[in-house]
Amino acid sequence: QVTKYRTFDTTVTTWMNMLQQIAESFDVIILFDSGNYKINVCHREEFGELTNVHLSYDNALREITKQRKLNEIVTRLTVESQNTTIAGVNVLGTDYVECYDYFINNGIMSSELQNALTRYNTLLEQKDIEFQLLLVQKHDADQALNLANSQLVSLQSKYSTEKGILSAYIKSGEKTKQANQQVTVTNLENQITAKLNEVQRCKDTVSSLENQLIAIGEAIRKENTGYFTNELLLELSDYLIEKAITDDTHLTAYGVYDYVCQQIKKYKKPIIDFSVSSSMEFIKRTGRKVTDCVFIGAKMGIEDKAGEITDEGTVTLYGFTIIPSTDEVKNIKFMNGGKTPDSPLKQ
């Protein structure tokens, strides 16, 4: 577990802006509890709690109003880290990953571009397997080269010492010791020559693997695959929607890479806000309090005839007004897809 520390200058910003900075820096959600006059903080990955409540037109729903937030879709997600870079472990050789699934699956782009991207994604999957295997081999080759260099330095140091001893015997005229020491020095010279050859072989192996990695990078450049015409590349640029995130928690390139790959999945479909007109009286009939089920982050099932909820079949409550004296709930707002909001939430 890595502890993160940040300082904020409250003299040059508003409290709301500072809370937004805190949310971005620590990847948390700010929750305003206006009823209890509290500000709560929740880690984004831990936001949401299942309630086993299912809203339908039979028990609560009267109307669902939807607003699709297409601006929440991201097709290229760049990750910035103070600890490392993902370029060396990403088959694209970049600090970003891409995903055009929403535009492909919904037939928004031309069929020619859909086909080109489908073929390209298949190529990426194949090349990524090859790329990762080469990375493992290169890691082993780098270790072998480091070991050989270390052994070479040790031999050269020992040779320098033994050579000095030999020079002393020559000056003193001790023939027998000189002859024996010459054998030692000659043996070390042979070992150094062999080790130099080993170092060169290791260097050649590393260079060959690096060239193969570069070749993969060139092969998967969109303009080099033969899948995309200039017209298709121009069309694709219309669907390039970029966003940058930071990750100072993971310390290794693979850790950061896995993190950004998981994050882009959250941006491959639009958020749909569900404004619900409903009555929560049915909750009382189950013997539970309304406040036990209605809270920021509550995950509920919801009957949606258009089928636009989530893969998991739940929505997340992110806004409502409750009147404590009557337990009346108004202005209920949900979002889909396991998404988490970027702005402070109020209840």
Side-chain angles (χ1 to χ4, degrees):
Q1 181 67 31
V2 178
T3 302
K4 296 173 64 175
Y5 297 93
R6 294 287 188 276
T7 58
F8 302 91
D9 188 350
T10 59
T11 63
V12 295
T13 187
T14 65
W15 279 103
M16 184 61 73
N17 286 339
M18 189 186 74
L19 289 174
Q20 191 70 50
Q21 291 177 38
I22 292 173
E24 293 175 356
S25 298
F26 292 93
D27 198 25
V28 296
I29 298 171
I30 307 296
L31 305 174
F32 289 115
D33 184 347
S34 54
N36 296 305
Y37 302 101
K38 291 181 179 180
I39 298 177
N40 300 310
V41 177
C42 175
H43 194 279
R44 192 172 295 275
E45 292 183 356
E46 298 173 355
F47 179 70
E49 180 182 340
L50 287 172
T51 62
N52 294 321
V53 172
H54 184 86
L55 305 179
S56 72
Y57 288 94
D58 293 330
N59 63 11
L61 295 181
R62 289 193 289 267
E63 183 181 2
I64 298 178
T65 303
K66 302 172 190 174
Q67 180 183 4
R68 292 169 180 80
K69 297 184 177 180
L70 295 178
N71 61 326
E72 296 291 339
I73 296 173
V74 175
T75 57
R76 176 180 290 177
L77 187 60
T78 300
V79 62
E80 300 169 353
S81 172
Q82 295 181 348
N83 302 318
T84 186
T85 173
I86 68 169
V89 299
N90 178 8
V91 67
L92 295 175
T94 63
D95 284 320
Y96 61 76
V97 294
E98 293 182 332
C99 180
Y100 293 91
D101 285 0
Y102 175 76
F103 297 104
I104 295 174
N105 297 335
N106 289 276
I108 297 174
M109 55 180 56
S110 69
S111 59
E112 292 82 5
L113 183 54
Q114 292 177 47
N115 291 334
L117 279 173
T118 299
R119 294 175 65 191
Y120 180 71
N121 289 338
T122 300
L123 175 66
L124 276 187
E125 292 176 2
Q126 295 170 347
K127 290 297 183 181
D128 188 48
I129 294 173
E130 183 180 344
F131 182 80
Q132 298 302 330
L133 288 174
L134 286 172
L135 283 182
V136 172
Q137 294 175 33
K138 184 177 179 300
H139 176 267
D140 293 342
D142 285 335
Q143 286 192 322
L145 176 58
N146 290 336
L147 177 60
N149 275 323
S150 175
Q151 292 171 338
L152 177 61
V153 170
S154 178
L155 284 171
Q156 289 172 332
S157 176
K158 187 175 182 181
Y159 174 77
S160 178
T161 300
E162 298 297 339
K163 186 72 171 177
I165 295 173
L166 176 60
S167 297
Y169 289 154
I170 293 173
K171 289 180 181 180
S172 65
E174 299 179 67
K175 300 296 183 180
T176 301
K177 291 182 178 180
Q178 177 184 336
N180 292 334
Q181 188 64 20
Q182 182 64 58
V183 172
T184 300
V185 170
T186 300
N187 286 336
L188 284 170
E189 289 174 343
N190 292 334
Q191 291 179 53
I192 289 173
T193 299
K195 190 58 64 175
L196 283 169
N197 291 333
E198 181 183 344
V199 168
Q200 188 58 54
R201 286 195 299 272
C202 290
K203 287 181 178 180
D204 292 341
T205 300
V206 170
S207 178
S208 173
L209 291 168
E210 288 176 342
N211 288 335
Q212 292 178 65
L213 290 169
I214 292 172
I216 289 177
E218 287 298 315
I220 63 174
R221 288 171 62 89
K222 293 183 180 72
E223 58 268 31
N224 293 340
T225 61
Y227 303 155
F228 300 89
T229 63
N230 290 334
E231 290 76 13
L232 290 180
L233 288 173
L234 183 60
E235 181 187 351
L236 182 62
S237 67
D238 293 335
Y239 302 104
L240 178 60
I241 306 171
E242 299 182 84
K243 181 181 178 69
I245 60 174
T246 59
D247 178 17
D248 294 329
T249 300
H250 297 93
L251 301 179
T252 66
Y254 280 109
V256 177
Y257 181 64
D258 288 342
Y259 173 75
V260 71
C261 287
Q262 290 299 317
Q263 291 302 305
I264 199 170
K265 293 178 182 177
K266 299 179 180 179
Y267 295 103
K268 71 177 184 179
K269 63 170 64 175
I271 289 179
I272 300 178
D273 275 352
F274 293 77
S275 297
V276 176
S277 172
S278 66
S279 169
M280 293 295 178
E281 286 297 317
F282 78 99
I283 293 178
K284 294 181 180 180
R285 295 196 292 271
T286 66
R288 290 179 290 181
K289 295 180 180 179
V290 172
T291 51
D292 290 338
C293 302
V294 179
F295 52 87
I296 295 296
K299 290 184 178 292
M300 302 182 184
I302 186 170
E303 181 180 300
D304 175 36
K305 295 175 182 177
E308 294 178 318
I309 306 175
T310 74
D311 295 336
E312 296 80 18
T314 60
V315 290
T316 303
L317 183 64
Y318 77 92
F320 67 92
T321 300
I322 188 168
I323 302 174
S325 60
T326 61
D327 274 349
E328 182 181 357
V329 181
K330 298 181 178 180
N331 306 320
I332 303 173
K333 294 183 179 296
F334 295 98
M335 72 182 73
N336 70 318
K339 301 271 189 169
T340 52
D342 292 326
S343 58
L345 306 179
K346 298 181 180 180
Q347 72 179 60

